[in-house]
Amino acid sequence: QVQLVESGGGLVQAGGSLRLSCAASGRTFSRRAMGWFRQAPGKEREFVAVINWIGDSTRYADSVKGRFTISRDNAKNTVYLQMNSLKPEDTAVYYCAARQGAIVTIFPYDYDYWGQGTQVTVSS
């Protein structure tokens, strides 16, 4: 099994930045596409960003493109989400997810492992 633990969430003012981390343990971390999803109160879980195991292929939701950057450090078994120019509508619980395969995908049902989530709150 693969265990994922998110960290780095918190309260930030609009226009500020946060860096989320996702630490992986258990089964080998390599050759897995890793994604970030988020879920706001009263809304369904939505795709945010994904990166392949090599780190040379990424995809972003239109709502975060140009503001968020996903990256990974396989030596540290960690995936990051750098969030800049944060907006109140970015407020949500952010989840890290991993696939068994290496191909990037934006669909939640393609992911096999999930973290517990970390709260991000952006004030006006």
Side-chain angles (χ1 to χ4, degrees):
Q1 295 293 317
V2 174
Q3 294 80 45
L4 305 174
V5 180
E6 303 97 332
S7 62
L11 176 64
V12 65
Q13 190 175 16
S17 299
L18 284 174
R19 190 192 194 197
L20 305 183
S21 298
C22 174
S25 62
R27 191 175 177 181
T28 180
F29 184 66
S30 64
R31 301 181 181 274
R32 296 182 181 274
M34 301 288 294
W36 287 95
F37 295 79
R38 67 186 183 185
Q39 188 166 18
K43 296 185 177 181
E44 66 276 4
R45 188 169 299 185
E46 66 174 351
F47 165 76
V48 176
V50 62
I51 187 170
N52 70 343
W53 76 279
I54 298 177
D56 63 350
S57 180
T58 59
R59 296 180 67 180
Y60 296 91
D62 289 341
S63 60
V64 307
K65 194 173 299 182
R67 299 188 297 119
F68 291 10
T69 302
I70 187 172
S71 62
R72 67 191 299 167
D73 186 341
N74 290 339
K76 297 181 178 180
N77 292 332
T78 302
V79 177
Y80 305 96
L81 184 67
Q82 179 66 47
M83 305 185 294
N84 299 324
S85 302
L86 284 163
K87 306 175 181 179
E89 50 263 45
D90 293 319
T91 296
V93 176
Y94 283 71
Y95 297 90
C96 177
R99 296 193 66 221
Q100 290 184 330
I103 300 175
V104 297
T105 174
I106 67 172
F107 305 110
Y109 53 76
D110 282 332
Y111 290 80
D112 305 291
Y113 308 99
W114 294 84
Q116 82 290 344
T118 184
Q119 177 69 49
V120 172
T121 302
V122 184
S123 62
S124 301

